[in-house]
Amino acid sequence: MRKRNLLLLSNSTQHGAGYLEWAAQHIKEFLSKRGVSNLLFIPYALSDHDHYTEVAEKAFKKLGISVCGIHTLPNPVSAIMDAEAVMIGGGNTFRLLSKLYANKLIEPLRKRVLQEGVPYIGSSAGTNVSTMSICTTNDMPIVYPPSFDALQLVPFNINPHYIDPSPDTKHMGESRQDRIRQYHEEDQTYPVLGLREGCLLLVEGSTATIAGDSGAKLFRKDCEPVECPAGDVSYLLTDA
Amino acid sequence: MRKRNLLLLSNSTQHGAGYLEWAAQHIKEFLSKRGVSNLLFIPYALSDHDHYTEVAEKAFKKLGISVCGIHTLPNPVSAIMDAEAVMIGGGNTFRLLSKLYANKLIEPLRKRVLQEGVPYIGSSAGTNVSTMSICTTNDMPIVYPPSFDALQLVPFNINPHYIDPSPDTKHMGESRQDRIRQYHEEDQTYPVLGLREGCLLLVEGSTATIAGDSGAKLFRKDCEPVECPAGDVSYLLTDA
Ligand SMILES: [Ca+2]
Ligand SMILES: [Ca+2]
């Protein structure tokens, strides 16, 4: 059985609140339950790694957790192998995944999280890369990664910052739902869990739970989308 | 000197109007000026090629132009070589570019448009693929293309459906401007012309003109964005 412990956030910042503030209780509980006091932070999704790590440091300090930026360590693979827990922050998913590949971190991360149970927190782009592929990111493809395959810590895809179609808009770009439907028109796709802002997915071994106020929406190929309010969604882990 | 004749639309459909209706006069003038009566339509950006081609057929019929879907012809490369004019419709940019590569159409299209002056109309995804790269598309990366390099008919990138930051939104995903700024943080990028819906770019040889009511916004690395109202923007073709 998978040993994984994942806390996957839709978003880092909630309107009107500070970095990770909306999810602070969930994060605190997730880490303290597992005796974590030091977090390895992966700031690759934004260009300024130092500044991004400082922001994370400040947020985690309030929870009694110390933070180390992976970019400050001489060997990123060793950093993963030694980490007590890992957090990958949001930003641009293409940039993030490219850097994970460039630094050869995909396999080490998979091994540590799936076989050794190292706690993993992802937010936004950090949530995207925890899934099967980045094919359902909202980000702009600013760099070309060697593959869209991601860490595959869960057997489905996530769309973070999921937003319902707006009946009022006069803008003619596709709705998020349209985009996910187009994804499912392709061959070899995965179910997509649309996590609204303020929503998170907790995965512990073979148990998955949605928490937060806003809920999620599940999209499957050739099926009507289904609302997933807070609660158990462990079926997502088995029948992908 | 480049022989190119390009009509690059931000969007196919304007709120409350039919397919290509908002740009009908521009399209009609662009094609009739060049004596075009038959258009090769490339419907690769949507999954249902027949239906998409029918929609295009209907819209162009009103302008006295007949349409042939490239997917109905036995050899897509020959179809390009024989085309009087080409239109690439909108949909998903990754799917479109993947299919252009799969059918080996990149070089034939470049040759026909840049060396032989075959008129090219692009809309949305069809506009994205006419530029240097698809790195500034808004679409979801639903399939992995062999490269993000596009047809490179102009020496810059375009962001179609460009939309200004909304001060009212509570949604925390990046604004379009944020996304383009993140693109410019990367190495080897191009200027980005954000075409608002209802805006188009006409390129004739080394002359470029913005038309339509809504205007464009030009983003360059390390510069403040600049408004581009309707009018001449030929400088975009030389100093990229
Ligand atoms: Ca993002
Ligand atoms: Ca599109």
Side-chain angles (χ1 to χ4, degrees):
Chain A
M1 203 190 77
R2 301 296 200 185
K3 279 195 173 168
R4 68 196 151 196
N5 293 291
L6 317 174
L7 189 71
L8 305 177
L9 315 180
S10 170
N11 54 309
S12 308
T13 314
Q14 195 78 317
H15 186 69
Y19 185 70
L20 296 178
E21 219 170 84
W22 75 271
Q25 275 314 309
H26 291 284
I27 293 172
K28 192 173 178 168
E29 199 179 311
F30 178 76
L31 293 177
S32 68
K33 196 170 158 183
R34 289 160 180 95
V36 172
S37 53
N38 299 292
L39 190 66
L40 181 70
F41 185 68
I42 303 185
Y44 295 160
L46 291 184
S47 61
D48 187 339
H49 298 168
D50 284 337
H51 178 256
Y52 198 6
T53 302
E54 275 168 38
V55 170
E57 217 169 351
K58 235 179 254 180
F60 280 98
K61 200 175 175 182
K62 292 183 194 161
L63 310 179
I65 306 286
S66 74
V67 161
C68 174
I70 193 170
H71 65 292
T72 64
L73 299 172
N75 182 332
V77 173
S78 310
I80 298 292
M81 296 321 282
D82 297 340
E84 225 184 285
V86 172
M87 162 141 192
I88 305 191
N92 184 283
T93 308
F94 294 87
R95 177 190 276 161
L96 167 58
L97 187 64
S98 298
K99 190 93 176 168
L100 291 178
Y101 275 108
N103 287 352
K104 301 194 171 18
L105 299 185
I106 301 287
E107 282 315 311
L109 270 167
R110 273 181 64 77
K111 180 168 179 272
R112 291 286 282 149
V113 174
L114 291 179
Q115 292 172 31
E116 298 171 25
V118 169
Y120 176 103
I121 302 174
S123 178
S124 191
T127 289
N128 270 128
V129 299
S130 77
T131 70
M132 292 305 289
S133 81
I134 65 161
C135 288
T136 54
T137 177
N138 309 309
D139 289 336
M140 214 173 237
I142 61 174
V143 275
Y144 185 70
S147 167
F148 287 166
D149 290 346
L151 291 168
Q152 311 196 332
L153 307 178
V154 292
F156 51 88
N157 269 15
I158 286 178
N159 178 248
H161 302 275
Y162 178 74
I163 187 161
D164 294 290
S166 157
D168 302 330
T169 185
K170 289 186 173 154
H171 190 75
M172 299 301 288
E174 299 90 345
S175 71
R176 195 66 59 81
Q177 190 163 318
D178 291 338
R179 292 168 192 271
I180 297 171
R181 190 181 33 72
Q182 289 185 337
Y183 166 66
H184 280 144
E185 287 169 354
E186 296 295 319
D187 296 333
Q188 291 201 295
T189 59
Y190 306 101
V192 180
L193 187 65
L195 291 182
R196 293 189 183 88
E197 294 190 348
C199 180
L200 62 85
L201 181 72
L202 174 66
V203 180
E204 299 175 289
S206 49
T207 301
T209 314
I210 286 175
D213 298 332
S214 49
K217 203 161 182 172
L218 178 64
F219 300 86
R220 286 171 189 275
K221 196 181 176 94
D222 300 326
C223 296
E224 283 296 304
V226 177
E227 267 305 319
C228 301
D232 185 83
V233 288
S234 302
Y235 60 90
L236 284 176
L237 299 175
T238 50
D239 69 3
Chain B
M1 203 189 75
R2 302 296 200 183
K3 280 194 173 169
R4 67 196 152 195
N5 294 289
L6 318 174
L7 189 71
L8 305 177
L9 315 180
S10 170
N11 54 311
S12 309
T13 314
Q14 195 79 317
H15 187 69
Y19 185 70
L20 296 179
E21 220 169 83
W22 74 270
Q25 276 314 309
H26 291 284
I27 293 171
K28 193 174 178 168
E29 199 179 312
F30 178 76
L31 293 176
S32 68
K33 197 171 159 183
R34 291 161 179 94
V36 172
S37 53
N38 300 290
L39 190 67
L40 182 70
F41 184 69
I42 303 186
Y44 295 160
L46 290 184
S47 62
D48 187 339
H49 298 168
D50 285 337
H51 178 257
Y52 197 7
T53 302
E54 275 169 39
V55 170
E57 217 169 353
K58 235 179 254 178
F60 281 97
K61 201 176 175 182
K62 293 183 194 159
L63 310 179
I65 307 286
S66 74
V67 161
C68 174
I70 192 170
H71 65 292
T72 65
L73 298 172
N75 183 330
V77 173
S78 311
I80 298 292
M81 296 321 282
D82 297 340
E84 225 184 283
V86 172
M87 161 139 193
I88 305 192
N92 183 283
T93 308
F94 295 87
R95 178 191 275 161
L96 167 58
L97 187 64
S98 298
K99 190 92 176 170
L100 292 177
Y101 274 109
N103 287 352
K104 300 191 171 20
L105 299 184
I106 301 286
E107 282 314 312
L109 270 167
R110 273 181 64 79
K111 179 167 179 275
R112 292 285 283 150
V113 175
L114 291 180
Q115 293 172 32
E116 299 172 24
V118 168
Y120 177 103
I121 303 174
S123 177
S124 192
T127 289
N128 271 126
V129 299
S130 75
T131 70
M132 292 304 289
S133 81
I134 65 162
C135 289
T136 54
T137 176
N138 309 309
D139 288 337
M140 215 174 235
I142 61 174
V143 275
Y144 184 71
S147 167
F148 287 165
D149 290 346
L151 291 167
Q152 311 196 332
L153 306 178
V154 291
F156 51 89
N157 269 14
I158 286 178
N159 177 248
H161 303 274
Y162 178 74
I163 188 162
D164 294 290
S166 158
D168 302 330
T169 186
K170 291 186 171 153
H171 189 74
M172 300 301 288
E174 299 91 343
S175 73
R176 194 66 59 79
Q177 189 163 317
D178 291 338
R179 293 167 191 272
I180 296 171
R181 191 181 33 71
Q182 288 185 338
Y183 167 67
H184 281 144
E185 287 169 354
E186 296 295 320
D187 296 333
Q188 291 201 296
T189 60
Y190 306 101
V192 179
L193 188 64
L195 290 182
R196 293 189 184 88
E197 295 191 349
C199 180
L200 62 84
L201 181 72
L202 174 67
V203 180
E204 298 174 290
S206 49
T207 301
T209 315
I210 286 175
D213 299 331
S214 49
K217 203 161 182 172
L218 178 63
F219 300 85
R220 286 172 189 274
K221 197 181 176 95
D222 300 325
C223 297
E224 283 297 303
V226 177
E227 267 305 319
C228 301
D232 185 82
V233 287
S234 301
Y235 59 91
L236 283 176
L237 299 173
T238 50
D239 68 3

